[in-house]
Amino acid sequence: MSASDVRIGFIGAGNMAEAMAGALISSGKMQSRQLTLCDIREDRLSYLKTQYNVHTSTSAAETFETASTVVLAVKPQGMRALLEELRNKGLHRSVQRKQIITIAAGLPLSFYEGILYEGLDETSAARLPIMRVMPNTPALVLAGMSGLCGNAHTTPSDMDLAEALLSSMGDVLRVTEAQMDGVTAVSGSGPAYFFYFVEAMVKTAEKMGFQSGEANRLALATLNGAAKLLLDSGEEPADLRRKVTSPGGTTEAAINEMKARNVAEGIQEGMLAAARRSRELSELI
Ligand SMILES: NC(=O)C1=CN([C@@H]2O[C@H](COP(=O)(O)OP(=O)(O)OC[C@H]3O[C@@H](n4cnc5c(N)ncnc54)[C@H](OP(=O)(O)O)[C@@H]3O)[C@@H](O)[C@H]2O)C=CC1
Ligand SMILES: O=C(O)[C@@H]1CCC=N1
């Protein structure tokens, strides 16, 4: 199937679906008319239609039927009801082969198989290969990071298709399913850790007397520059940190204070909590 034949249907058109759909369009990978965004919220759909000129629908069944690739983008807690709705309408007995890509945190491939493959023989199940993707919201600005894995019915060309779509939004790493909780904790949730750090830096700059706009400029230009330096120089973060840290200087005073407050441990424990929560989500359904 060539890129122009692909029809992607997003079921659940929230923050992450918007980031992915927006990236597919702005990267030139897909035309708006190749995308359908489905949500239960009409207000959300009218915003998305105005913003991206995509097809919109309130019907998950219709979106599933008309797509060649379906992206399941509802919250994990709503996934069972959605899958059961699709299965109860017989849509899993698809004659047309289509890729199912789920972006929900935590839920294992076996959960989707248990519902979507119910009553299907191997030949019919093979028409619905299922892939798990863990993207992140910087996809919207084509700077995303995604982890990708697939079930036994996923062929190399299904994986290539998913990777081609995701690489238009940023970097892609193929992983095992066992690594997905880790991907979620590092890159899926990761942008929020960074934003939390920015919030703290900006708040502190304001307390030091800078106007909000000035505080934002100081913090953001610095973090953007530091990330660029790290990426472009190829040097280790610890080495770059040492180059900023003059013995007996201001940076040393800051880092000593952060170490005394176990900031690194807080980051580690936060990330481990995210991975734990990812595993827990699979138990909730
Ligand atoms: N946000 C992120 O950074 C990331 C999110 N994810 C995953 O992406 C998924 C979506 O997250 P996110 O975009 O943040 O969530 P949102 O809540 O922003 O989006 C989900 C949308 O789906 C709607 N919805 C719920 N049930 C249905 C249904 N049956 N049919 C159609 N639409 C429905 C929701 O409506 P309502 O609000 O009324 O329920 C909501 O508008 C989650 O599973 C999450 O784990 C993965 C990586 C990163
Ligand atoms: O917070 C969450 O559960 C989702 C998954 C990764 C990022 N957001």
Side-chain angles (χ1 to χ4, degrees):
M1 180 181 281
S2 76
S4 60
D5 295 329
V6 175
R7 297 280 178 280
I8 304 183
F10 287 87
I11 306 183
N15 294 309
M16 197 58 238
E18 177 180 359
M20 294 175 81
L24 288 169
I25 297 165
S26 69
S27 67
K29 185 81 189 165
M30 298 264 128
Q31 314 258 320
S32 309
R33 60 177 170 73
Q34 293 176 271
L35 305 182
T36 299
L37 273 73
C38 163
D39 206 279
I40 47 179
R41 295 165 51 146
E42 303 263 9
D43 57 332
R44 181 76 188 146
L45 293 179
S46 57
Y47 156 77
L48 292 166
K49 180 142 199 86
T50 310
Q51 190 76 9
Y52 301 101
N53 194 28
V54 288
H55 297 290
T56 55
S57 174
T58 50
S59 165
E62 177 194 71
T63 305
F64 186 95
E65 259 187 313
T66 52
S68 61
T69 301
V70 177
V71 180
L72 301 173
V74 300
K75 294 210 180 69
Q77 292 84 345
M79 194 61 84
R80 176 180 290 281
L82 170 62
L83 296 176
E84 289 180 348
E85 178 195 335
L86 297 170
R87 182 205 52 201
N88 293 345
K89 291 188 167 150
L91 295 167
H92 61 316
R93 298 182 184 281
S94 169
V95 208
Q96 184 204 351
R97 193 169 192 282
K98 59 180 88 203
Q99 294 82 18
I100 309 296
I101 295 179
T102 172
I103 64 166
L107 310 185
L109 288 164
S110 58
F111 165 72
Y112 300 88
E113 292 170 344
I115 301 175
L116 289 179
Y117 292 171
E118 196 186 281
L120 298 189
D121 59 22
E122 282 296 294
T123 313
S124 304
R127 291 199 198 104
L128 281 186
I130 306 172
M131 287 171 271
R132 266 181 82 179
V133 167
M134 179 46 56
N136 66 15
T137 52
L140 187 58
V141 291
L142 312 186
M145 179 72 228
S146 301
L148 165 69
C149 66
N151 77 345
H153 291 305
T154 307
T155 62
S157 72
D158 293 325
M159 290 293 276
D160 289 348
L161 172 77
E163 185 165 335
L165 296 174
L166 296 168
S167 61
S168 72
M169 332 175 174
D171 200 357
V172 189
L173 188 67
R174 292 191 188 197
V175 294
T176 63
E177 185 166 27
Q179 292 174 304
M180 268 294 180
D181 296 320
V183 171
T184 306
V186 180
S187 58
S189 297
Y193 316 152
F194 177 82
F195 301 137
Y196 183 63
F197 188 77
V198 174
E199 285 171 62
M201 257 180 102
V202 169
K203 243 182 231 157
T204 309
E206 285 170 356
K207 278 190 191 151
M208 289 170 168
F210 293 102
Q211 304 288 323
S212 147
E214 294 169 339
N216 267 296
R217 270 174 70 195
L218 285 166
L220 279 182
T222 302
L223 295 173
N224 184 41
K228 190 164 164 45
L229 179 62
L230 188 57
L231 285 169
D232 291 357
S233 69
E235 289 187 61
E236 292 296 320
D239 290 334
L240 289 173
R241 173 159 63 86
R242 268 190 286 277
K243 289 183 183 176
V244 187
T245 311
S246 313
T250 59
T251 316
E252 189 177 85
I255 299 286
N256 283 345
E257 190 65 35
M258 290 182 192
K259 281 184 175 168
R261 289 169 189 270
N262 286 327
V263 172
E265 192 183 314
I267 292 168
Q268 174 185 293
E269 291 309 310
M271 289 172 70
L272 293 174
R276 248 190 338 268
R277 183 62 186 156
S278 177
R279 285 189 290 276
E280 275 167 19
L281 285 170
S282 69
E283 289 153 19
L284 290 179
I285 38 92

